[in-house]
């Protein structure tokens, strides 16, 4: 549907029913019919712990800013690295090519390969074994609150207090354990009288530290890693600016041309668009126009609610732009484009981590704003699975619209592309359309309930269209939004 104008609360309620926007075009996949079901995914930033691969990306940025170091290396152990340079933190590079034309060839090719390989196997699929092991290790890591990477590794059992790890078996000693051992010896040298206050037995979880734990024992927070102080003679300076894109602020207008040029290069190099495709009007329609009304309530975030561009300025020029919506309960990521010359900085991962930190910052003033929406998660498309690496996260049940932790959804998705995540067979969509006659219609310059409007109608197809709209937007939105008819 085309949204001429929409309150941030209406859009919040719509994305909580599986809708998404591209410019002013608002769409919802027909989940049980589409080739690649697209599940709305959100991360819980307040509990977020950066994984090992996330930390690598943040350290890489700090090294580049501090010393100008460009680390070249193999990032195979970073689950998001191979795909991020292609898709980055936006859905539309794949799903929604600017004029709302689905790039389904990519999806169908991925699926064909997947089906063919599964047909060949028939027997017990090693993929499934790997995925169940992956889920177990992720569940274990979540319990520990360690924020370590979600690789399918066997989690070693922690040595019992009082019994040190068996030092006669070097292969079992992980680098992390050796670092902890060194830290323990250092702390004991500093405090020869006994164990330092707050020290934990090797292998125990940092989240279980007593309240008076030494600060050195605490894992670094996301903010510590992002905002680590740089030397005075740092090689580069990075600044992130949030500018309102709709209605366009003066800062947005002043930087529009520079921002557009970054977008054009990104589309041509990363998405192989021909030079005449990423035009100014297409850029404006896709990433600058928004139906969201700007709101600045006193108890809201300092930037207000609505649509924004988060610009990444390196040494005085824009190298990346994250397009975001700030809504009553979340920051919603729309798209990211960046200068391809800076691909080595993994800007897709970096910007997602900055957006998670931004959500945490907004939460400090506006407590109900506590989620980071990453768009759609497509389990059957490898280029979209990277979003599942930001933990803890939830997927939206496509039938009852409740949020379910992703670990509980993955086993079902391995067996079937389309899944109802709500395990309660009796549960229904609580926000469903119960009384379509109360739906608000805008007709001949007048607002009226559908119950009045339908008496003036003779077109048999009209009722079906209006009832479908009511079912898809739900009762609350159908009573607040105006459905235009002519």
């Amino acid at each position: 549907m085309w949204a001429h104008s929409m309150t941030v609360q209406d859009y919040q309620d719509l994305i909580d029913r599986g809708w998404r926007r591209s410019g002013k075009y608002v769409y919802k996949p027909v989940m049980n019919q589409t080739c690649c079901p697209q599940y709305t995914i959100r991360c819980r930033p307040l509990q977020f712990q950066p994984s090992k691969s996330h930390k690598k990306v943040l350290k890489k940025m700090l090294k580049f800013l501090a010393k100008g170091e460009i680390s070249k290396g193999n990032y195979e152990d970073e689950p998001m690295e191979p795909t991020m340079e292609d898709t980055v933190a936006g859905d539309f590079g794949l799903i929604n090519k600017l004029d709302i034309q689905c790039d389904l060839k990519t999806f169908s090719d991925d699926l064909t390969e997947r089906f063919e390989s599964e047909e060949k196997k028939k027997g017990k699929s090693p993929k499934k074994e790997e995925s169940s092991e992956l889920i177990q290790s992720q569940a274990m890591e979540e319990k520990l609150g360690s924020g370590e990477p979600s690789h399918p590794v066997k989690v070693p059992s922690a040595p019992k207090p009082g019994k040190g790890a068996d030092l006669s078996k070097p292969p079992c000693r992980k680098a992390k354990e050796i670092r902890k051992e060194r830290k323990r010896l250092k702390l004991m040298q500093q405090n020869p009288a006994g164990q330092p206050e707050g020290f934990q037995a090797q292998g125990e979880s940092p989240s279980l530290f007593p309240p008076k734990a030494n600060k050195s024992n605490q894992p670094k927070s996301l903010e510590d890693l992002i905002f680590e102080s740089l030397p005075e003679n740092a090689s580069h300076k990075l600044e992130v600016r949030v500018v309102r894109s709709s209605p366009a602020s003066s800062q947005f207008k002043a930087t529009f041309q520079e921002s557009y040029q970054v977008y054009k290069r990104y589309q041509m190099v990363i998405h192989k668009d021909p030079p005449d495709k990423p035009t100014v009007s297409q850029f404006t329609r896709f990433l600058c126009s928004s139906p969201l009304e700007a709101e600045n309530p006193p108890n809201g975030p300092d930037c207000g609610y609505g649509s924004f561009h988060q610009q990444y300025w390196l040494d005085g020029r824009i190298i990346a732009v994250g397009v975001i919506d700030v809504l009553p309960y979340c920051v919603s990521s729309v798209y990211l484009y960046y200068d391809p010359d800076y691909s080595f900085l993994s800007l897709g991962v970096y910007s997602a981590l900055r957006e998670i930190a931004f959500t945490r910052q907004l939460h400090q003033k506006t407590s109900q704003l506590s989620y980071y929406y990453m768009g759609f998660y497509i389990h059957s498309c490898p280029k979209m699975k990277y979003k599942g690496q930001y933990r803890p996260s939830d997927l939206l049940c496509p039938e009852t619209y409740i949020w379910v932790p992703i670990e509980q959804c993955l086993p079902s998705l391995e067996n079937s592309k389309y899944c109802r995540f709500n395990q309660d067979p009796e549960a229904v969509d609580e926000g469903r359309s119960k009384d379509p006659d109360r739906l608000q219609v805008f007709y001949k310059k007048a607002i009226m309930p559908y119950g009045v409007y339908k008496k003036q109608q003779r077109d048999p197809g009209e009722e079906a269209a209006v009832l479908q709209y009511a079912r898809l937007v739900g009762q609350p939105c159908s009573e607040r939004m105006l459905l235009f008819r002519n």
Side-chain angles (χ1 to χ4, degrees):
M1 59 187 178
W2 191 263
H4 296 269
S5 180
M6 190 180 277
T7 67
V8 287
Q9 185 61 59
D10 286 342
Y11 186 54
Q12 176 74 64
D13 289 353
L14 286 178
I15 61 172
D16 285 336
R17 292 183 67 80
W19 289 81
R20 199 89 190 125
R21 80 171 183 90
S22 169
K24 292 189 172 189
Y25 182 82
V26 188
Y27 63 99
K28 180 187 190 320
V30 184
M31 295 290 279
N32 54 358
Q33 291 175 31
T34 181
C35 67
C36 304
Q38 299 146 49
Y39 298 94
T40 303
I41 183 169
R42 73 176 188 187
C43 168
R44 283 176 260 146
L46 307 187
Q47 291 86 41
F48 176 78
Q49 283 288 343
S51 72
K52 203 172 187 176
S53 65
H54 295 151
K55 288 174 186 173
K56 273 188 184 178
V57 170
L58 295 173
K59 282 174 185 166
K60 182 164 61 174
M61 177 63 86
L62 286 168
K63 272 186 188 174
F64 173 70
L65 295 175
K67 302 173 187 170
E69 274 184 33
I70 298 173
S71 54
K72 288 187 170 67
N74 185 359
Y75 297 118
E76 273 177 18
D77 59 337
E78 298 184 22
M80 295 169 54
E81 205 62 37
T83 59
M84 282 308 293
E85 305 309 348
D86 257 344
T87 359
V88 235
D91 314 308
F92 306 115
L94 268 180
I95 299 174
N96 210 58
K97 288 279 191 179
L98 291 305
D99 288 318
I100 326 302
Q101 294 164 345
C102 261
D103 184 7
L104 289 178
K105 187 177 184 321
T106 319
F107 292 121
S108 58
D109 289 353
D110 285 339
L111 279 172
T112 311
E113 280 173 35
R114 194 181 167 98
F115 288 145
E116 282 170 0
S117 63
E118 283 179 8
E119 279 297 305
K120 282 176 194 165
K121 288 173 196 164
K122 284 293 182 192
K124 195 172 183 187
S125 159
K127 258 189 191 174
K128 282 187 186 175
E129 283 176 36
E130 185 182 289
S131 72
S132 64
E133 197 176 317
L134 180 96
I135 292 153
Q136 284 166 5
S137 71
Q138 285 164 347
M140 175 68 77
E141 283 155 5
E142 279 220 320
K143 279 179 198 162
L144 295 175
S146 67
E148 285 306 305
S150 309
H151 296 308
V153 290
K154 295 273 188 267
V155 181
S157 55
K160 292 184 176 71
K163 292 185 185 176
D166 186 353
L167 303 181
S168 66
K169 294 181 182 173
C172 293
R173 284 172 61 72
K174 300 268 166 62
K176 190 174 177 186
E177 290 174 7
I178 293 165
R179 286 200 301 274
K180 280 188 177 175
E181 183 71 16
R182 284 193 194 130
K183 190 181 265 188
R184 188 175 73 86
L185 290 168
K186 194 175 173 185
L187 287 166
M188 286 178 79
Q189 283 166 3
Q190 289 168 3
N191 183 8
Q195 252 199 2
E197 187 182 17
F199 177 72
Q200 291 296 299
Q202 186 180 324
E204 282 188 22
S205 157
S207 62
L208 305 178
F209 281 169
K212 288 187 178 177
N214 280 356
K215 201 167 193 311
S216 62
N217 286 343
Q218 298 285 11
K220 281 188 174 179
S221 73
L222 178 61
E223 289 74 14
D224 291 339
L225 292 161
I226 290 174
F227 302 111
E228 198 165 298
S229 57
L230 293 168
E232 278 183 31
N233 61 343
S235 301
H236 299 286
K237 183 190 175 193
L238 179 72
E239 189 186 347
V240 178
R241 299 180 196 166
V242 179
V243 299
R244 187 179 282 285
S245 53
S246 176
S249 64
S250 55
Q251 304 102 301
F252 179 80
K253 289 175 185 170
T255 56
F256 180 88
Q257 269 305 324
E258 186 177 349
S259 184
Y260 163 66
Q261 291 302 330
V262 175
Y263 167 76
K264 186 174 180 177
R265 285 204 65 218
Y266 171 78
Q267 290 298 126
M268 287 165 59
V269 177
I270 304 295
H271 290 298
K272 309 290 184 274
D273 279 1
D276 58 338
K277 193 177 176 189
T279 61
V280 171
S281 65
Q282 182 219 44
F283 169 66
T284 304
R285 193 169 67 248
F286 174 40
L287 295 174
C288 307
S289 297
S290 167
L292 302 186
E293 295 168 10
E295 292 179 31
N296 287 281
N299 58 344
D302 291 338
C303 60
Y305 296 111
S307 299
F308 299 86
H309 280 199
Q310 199 161 34
Q311 302 172 335
Y312 294 77
W313 290 77
L314 182 72
D315 304 331
R317 52 186 285 257
I318 297 173
I319 62 159
V321 177
V323 181
I324 57 171
D325 291 330
V326 177
L327 303 174
Y329 308 126
C330 72
V331 169
S332 173
S333 172
V334 178
Y335 199 67
L336 175 94
Y337 54 94
Y338 58 84
D339 184 334
D341 290 348
Y342 294 91
S343 291
F344 64 89
L345 287 172
S346 307
L347 290 167
V349 184
Y350 184 77
S351 66
L353 296 170
R354 289 293 299 238
E355 286 170 10
I356 289 170
F358 180 58
T359 309
R360 284 155 68 130
Q361 180 195 329
L362 298 185
H363 170 79
Q364 289 175 359
K365 184 186 175 195
T366 310
S367 58
Q368 72 271 23
L369 205 162
S370 54
Y371 295 101
Y372 173 58
Y373 284 46
M374 296 177 280
F376 289 135
Y377 173 83
I378 306 175
H379 193 71
S380 53
C381 175
K383 286 188 175 185
M384 286 291 168
K385 285 174 81 167
Y386 72 85
K387 296 180 184 185
Q389 300 292 342
Y390 294 84
R391 300 291 179 94
S393 58
D394 310 300
L395 297 182
L396 187 66
C397 174
E399 293 181 12
T400 61
Y401 304 113
I402 62 152
W403 294 97
V404 179
I406 195 168
E407 305 79 32
Q408 293 174 32
C409 306
L410 293 177
S412 308
L413 288 170
E414 283 296 314
N415 295 324
S416 169
K417 286 185 296 173
Y418 174 74
C419 300
R420 171 193 166 109
F421 299 134
N422 193 330
Q423 297 299 305
D424 177 2
E426 304 295 312
V428 293
D429 165 17
E430 295 296 339
R432 68 192 181 283
S433 172
K434 301 180 186 80
D435 186 358
D437 282 358
R438 291 169 61 91
L439 179 151
Q440 295 296 298
V441 174
F442 187 57
Y443 178 61
K444 290 185 176 173
K445 298 184 182 177
I447 296 166
M448 63 188 75
Y450 176 64
V452 172
Y453 167 77
K454 71 180 178 183
K455 289 171 185 165
Q456 306 175 26
Q457 284 306 303
R458 298 282 175 269
D459 180 1
E462 182 69 351
E463 185 178 24
V466 174
L467 293 181
Q468 183 192 35
Y469 161 82
R471 180 171 54 80
L472 294 172
V473 305
Q475 189 71 30
C477 279
S478 76
E479 291 186 36
R480 292 196 308 251
M481 304 194 308
L482 303 180
L483 175 64
F484 176 78
R485 308 316 280 162
N486 64 16

